Every structure is written in C-alpha cells, then in structure tokens.
Amino acid sequence: MRKLLTAILASGILLATSMAWSADKGAPKQGERLQAANEVFQQIMNTPDNDIPQDLLERSVCIGIFPSVKKVAFVVGGSHGSGYVTCRTAGGKGPWGPPSGFSMSGGSVGLQIGASETDFVLLFMNRDGVTKLLEDKFTLGADASVAAGPVGRTAAADTDAKMTAKVLSYSRSKGVFAGIALDGAVLKPSSEDNEALYGKAISPKELLLDSHVPPPASARPLLATLEKYSPMQAKKAY
C-alpha cells in the first residue's frame, strides 16, 4: 500500500510539474515580461492600505517580481514561471539597477486540485540573500529565511520573525487555489533571458552587484515605478 501511495505521489509530481512547464512555454518575451512586472508592482502599490509597507521597501536591497507564475495541481502541486530581480546600486543605497532574469519553480504536496496564475514579489532585505541568489540554485527557506510579507502602510507592529527574515514574499492570485507557499520555491538565474535582453552573455553578478551595465530601454518603466515608490535615499540598517 505504501509503495502504491508513493508511486501515485511521484506520478502526481511529474504530471503537475510537466503541466506547469508546458503552460510556461508561451510566456511573453523579455520586454513583455518586464512590462507585466511593472504592471503587477504598480497595481499592488495602488491598493489602498493593502500594499507593501513603505518602510520595508526603503530597507530592501533587491526586489524580485515574477508575473503570472503558472501553478497546476492534482493532489500534488507544481509551478513554474519567469521574472526579474533588480538591486539598488551603490552598495544598496543608490537607484535601482539593471534587472537580471530568473526562473521560479517548485512543488507542494497536499490535498490540492486546480490551476492558477499567481504574481509574486520578493523583497531581499540584506546582501547575504543576494549573494546566495547568484548561485546556480537558490531555495527559499533553505538558502535564506523567508516569511510572508506584511501589508499596509507600516510594518511596525509585525512579528520579529518577519522583520528578521532575509526575504519577504508577497503574492497576488489571479485564480482559485489553496495551499500556495514559497518555502521550497527554487530560483535559478536565466542566462538566456539576460542574453536576449542585453544582446550579449552577461552574468547576474555583473547586473545585480557590479551594476556597471546600463538598463535596457524596456526596463526603464519598471525602474521608474520602483524609484517612485522607493527612491534613492540613505536607508536604515536592517
């Protein structure tokens, strides 16, 4: 019986992950994905008293935005999507720098069924999390502590766990789904996205830490939106 259950779960994982990857094959090109990321962030921040707290935005050193991550499940869930991470220049105190492409994938076990598209926003609260992000594979909850980010105008009353997490995560669901969580989600650098966006092979480190590469024109609306809600300024220690 145990072997049968294991086989069913394994088959479910393969099916759900395969469906999620297949759903992502028609993803927008790089410029369209950057536009979608800009729209996602703008819409989230336009929600009165239910947006990302200003003080957390000011403290963040990097932001990742993953629009329309596909997730499907039949007992076992699987998800896959693509997005961009951008970091502040000048050691975390300057304007937002050139974005770097990343993929997001993951799976979860539980009594789940359905399909959805979810937008994710990740705030990286210190440079340690960013350094690990540049490795071949970055697992939320394992390589860096992650907590569900608080919403509202201020995060002053939130728990210590959330305030000390290296990554704060936000989601906006476009479909009906249960059991969505970011613990165990895997982020991987996308060399293909970066080469297509910048016209040459370029590493995430060059974009996120060195920041010597000028942002492409298609990224400027997103960077302008980020600067609008979290402008360059002397930031508090976190």
Side-chain angles (χ1 to χ4, degrees), residues 185-208:
V186 176
L187 304 184
K188 293 183 178 180
S190 175
S191 57
E192 293 181 0
D193 273 346
N194 285 344
E195 185 169 357
L197 187 62
Y198 292 93
K200 60 180 181 179
I202 189 166
S203 70
K205 180 180 180 295
E206 292 177 90
L207 297 171
L208 301 182

Side-chain angles (χ1 to χ4, degrees), residues 22-34:
S22 296
D24 189 60
K25 286 183 178 179
K29 296 299 183 181
Q30 289 72 26
E32 293 175 336
R33 192 178 298 132
L34 282 165

Side-chain angles (χ1 to χ4, degrees), residues 175-186:
V176 179
F177 199 79
I180 295 177
L182 285 186
D183 277 298
V186 176

Side-chain angles (χ1 to χ4, degrees), residues 56-81:
L56 292 183
L57 282 176
E58 291 175 358
R59 293 173 177 177
S60 64
V61 296
C62 300
I63 292 181
I65 305 176
F66 295 81
S68 301
V69 173
K70 277 73 174 180
K71 189 163 189 174
V72 295
F74 184 76
V75 180
V76 177
S79 61
H80 183 76

Side-chain angles (χ1 to χ4, degrees), residues 2-18 74-77 108-109:
R2 182 177 295 178
K3 289 183 178 179
L4 177 60
L5 180 58
T6 301
I8 292 173
L9 289 175
S11 298
I13 291 173
L14 290 174
L15 175 62
T17 304
S18 175
F74 184 76
V75 180
V76 177
S108 56
V109 177

